[in-house]
Amino acid sequence: MEAKTLFDKIWDSHVVKKVEGGPNVLYIDRHLIHEVTSPVAFLGLKNRGLKVFRPEQTTATPDHNVPTENQHLSIVDELSRNQVEMLKRNCAEHGIKYHDLQSEGHGIVHIIGPEKGLTQPGMTIVCGDSHTSTHGAFGAIAFGIGTSEVEMVLASQSIMQPKPKKMRITINGELKQGVTAKDIALFIISKISTSGGTGHFIEYAGSAIKSLSMEGRMTLCNLSIESGARGGMIAPDETTFNYMKGREFVPKGKDWEQAVEKWKNLKSDEDAVFDTEYSYDAADIEPMITYGTNPGMGIGITKNIPIYNGMGESDKKTLEKALKYMEFSPGDKMLGKTIDYVFLGSCTNGRIEDFRAFTAFVKGKKKAPNVNAWLVPGSKHVEQQIKEEGLLEILEEAGFKLRQPGCSACLAMNDDKIPEGKYAVSTTNRNFEGRQGPGARTLLASPLTAAAAAITGKVTDPRELMDNEFLETDKTLEPV
Amino acid sequence: MAYDKFSVIKSPAVPLPVENVDTDQIIPARFLKAVERKGFGENLFRDWRYNKDGSPKSDFPLNNAKYSGKILVAGKNFGSGSSREHAAWAIYDYGFRVVVSSFFADIFKNNAINNGLLPVVVTPEFLERIFETIEKNPEAEFKTNLKEQTLTNLTTGETEEFEINAYKKHCLKNGLDDIDYLVRMKDEITAFEEANS
Ligand code: SF4
């Protein structure tokens, strides 16, 4: 039999039909929806007189535009409120499970999927949000779709897609102290650029990837899309199964044992061929930070912003435009640059481990007075854990406050907008012009680097502040 | 959704010689709060197109009266970032039917075709000459022929073929979309579910 990649195995088993001279009709196991990219899809269904085909395979949560304060009150912004209410109505009408803003199960769509065990190995998972790639961490094919495709899934539990090419990125070796999954991702994108993955689906492999926690794997897969790839995935293993066991929607008892046996086969055959391969040494990665206006414009935090010398004309133009927006100069050092905001949150870094890392880092220190810090848990469950584990007290002691769950300043659709011209060290996924608010300037980094900046008020190498005490508290990074 | 059937489009083009144009620039997130698919063209390239006080930025091509037409020509890696289909809607709603670039992001390309907006991939050299042609003569016309799968620079006479799969071509030509197709396939999909449960 022909050797197959993990991606091939899952994709091929979900093809309902190959359209002559066209895409595949791909069956979708799990569909996640939110308030922003679904209303027009439901409207389309209505106009065609259609019902949702398999309502039990779709799950809904309002996350993109919700406020992160006073969630018990009615949403003030009329348009946002309308979208949220519309989602609720559409779900009620079509029998779709909806996680209301005040409910225990509420959170960012890509946080609650894994949390509830909706995300499982071998599945096809889609959502009208490009960071659906997060779910690939479990060995699933997960990718973002447009609203027309949301309508397709609602109408037929299938979409039409050409099969992407396959890429493998292998990272072997041991990660250095202070280097996280976020740094691996920013490192990769800085190497292959924001278009390097276009047309491909990535599989991450190698000892450094295997050593990541489940949440770290989610962070890495989450950022796959920023390299232009449709998604990223990691073969499931004991780490995956340990994380999943006992979660709400995973099989129980005997079914669980059987499922695990099946999932263990989900890996690329040894002689499987990838269209594109890259490999890197974990030891070459240091904490990363971005200096420009796309996620590929990242460097090791101790490095300087590139200079124009030796650059092609078009790269130079892109860099010039970015640096003008950021008000940085070629050759500048990133270390020591004054910042105004710190944002911890989003589906990239809004999980409990991110909060544990941030908290362990700031423990016993004080937030810099010039910094506004927004700490936004990815879900109600994460918020609960922060309180139960005593992290909130440590954070408050250090001068931080906690907000309520949602996408928040990741895309600034609600009131959480970084003001024009201000610099934010952000644990999110996009540093595009105006992404975090009109005129806002985003420096993407890990929760540790964000914590370091929150304490000093400037771009700081987190390793400089990691004393013995941190190393001891480092055990709080372990999943409970 | 229903869109106009696509055949031959002959028109001047609007140049946007910027690379890596992400969908956050095409339509910023704060304009995604509508629940209908209307009026997004007004906010196309909002923050590049208008000053904070709402006055148009004179140096942005869309505000320059000398440029017009149904074809948008942009630098490489157009449409990266967010999957928001609103980006394709905004471009279509503004009046464009074709976007030309040397490289498109995947999701944007899908979204565009699903909405009757044709993404045309050309070689970097051909793209460069299109920009040059427009710079010399903003009224210069270009012809997109879906049937032949060609784009012609009518000033220089150069033609390049572009790729589009037979199925999508059929859809665009007939104003059909994937949902029509999938809905007709429900029995096959149900059979697939049964075989795999
Ligand atoms: S946190 Fe950001 S990237 Fe994630 S789903 Fe929300 S808006 Fe999208």
Side-chain angles (χ1 to χ4, degrees), chain A residues 23 39 90 123 129 148 207 218 230 232 268 290-291 300 360 388 393 411 422 458:
Chain A
N90 282 329
M123 280 185 165
D129 181 282
S148 295
S207 56
M218 286 188 241
R230 283 315 297 273
S268 290
T290 63
Y291 55 86
E388 279 166 18
E393 282 143 51
L411 88 167
K422 298 290 183 196
K458 47 193 186 206

Side-chain angles (χ1 to χ4, degrees), chain A residues 13-17 19 21-23 25 27 36 39-40 43 48 50 53-54 77 79-80 82-83 86 128-130 144-149 151-152 155-156 158 160-161 194-195 198-199 225 228 230 294 314 317-318 321 411 413 420 430 432-433 435 438, chain B residues 1-2 17-20 22-25 29-37 40 47-48 52 76-77 80-86 89 103-107 110-111 114-115 165-168 177-183 185-186 188-190 192-193 196:
Chain A
S13 68
H14 284 80
V15 173
V16 181
K17 182 180 171 177
V19 179
V25 175
Y27 187 78
V36 176
V40 172
L43 194 66
R48 291 171 202 255
L50 295 172
F53 186 55
R54 296 286 180 251
D77 181 82
L79 294 172
S80 297
N82 187 31
Q83 276 192 330
M86 180 87 70
D129 181 282
S130 51
I145 55 177
T147 298
S148 295
E149 291 164 316
E151 191 180 336
M152 291 176 212
S156 69
S158 305
M160 306 193 65
Q161 288 280 313
T194 54
S195 58
T198 306
I225 178 77
R230 283 315 297 273
N294 75 50
S314 78
K317 242 166 69 184
T318 304
K321 186 171 188 303
L411 88 167
M413 263 188 94
E420 184 172 357
R430 288 183 174 141
F432 297 148
E433 288 183 30
R435 169 80 178 184
Chain B
M1 74 108 189
V18 180
E19 296 183 353
N20 303 308
D22 58 78
T23 52
D24 271 83
Q25 309 316 318
R30 59 186 191 282
F31 300 112
L32 307 185
K33 292 185 182 177
V35 292
E36 279 179 293
R37 208 175 62 173
F40 286 103
D47 293 341
W48 286 355
K52 254 196 314 185
K76 73 163 187 253
N77 199 23
S80 58
S82 159
S83 59
R84 60 188 68 156
E85 196 162 309
H86 311 69
W89 301 342
F103 197 99
F104 288 96
D106 283 334
I107 303 184
N110 259 335
N111 286 342
N114 282 337
N115 288 281
N165 70 51
Y167 166 80
K168 284 290 175 194
D177 67 17
D178 291 348
I179 300 165
D180 303 323
Y181 188 96
L182 288 170
V183 169
M185 265 193 70
K186 270 192 187 158
E188 272 173 83
I189 294 168
T190 306
F192 176 89
E193 286 176 326
N196 287 281

Side-chain angles (χ1 to χ4, degrees), chain A residues 10 49 79 82 91 99 122 159 190 219 245 274 341 347 374 417:
Chain A
I10 304 174
L79 294 172
N82 187 31
C91 288
H99 295 283
I159 56 170
S190 77
T219 301
K245 198 167 183 201
F274 291 81
Y341 281 75
C347 61
W374 292 343
K417 293 178 176 46

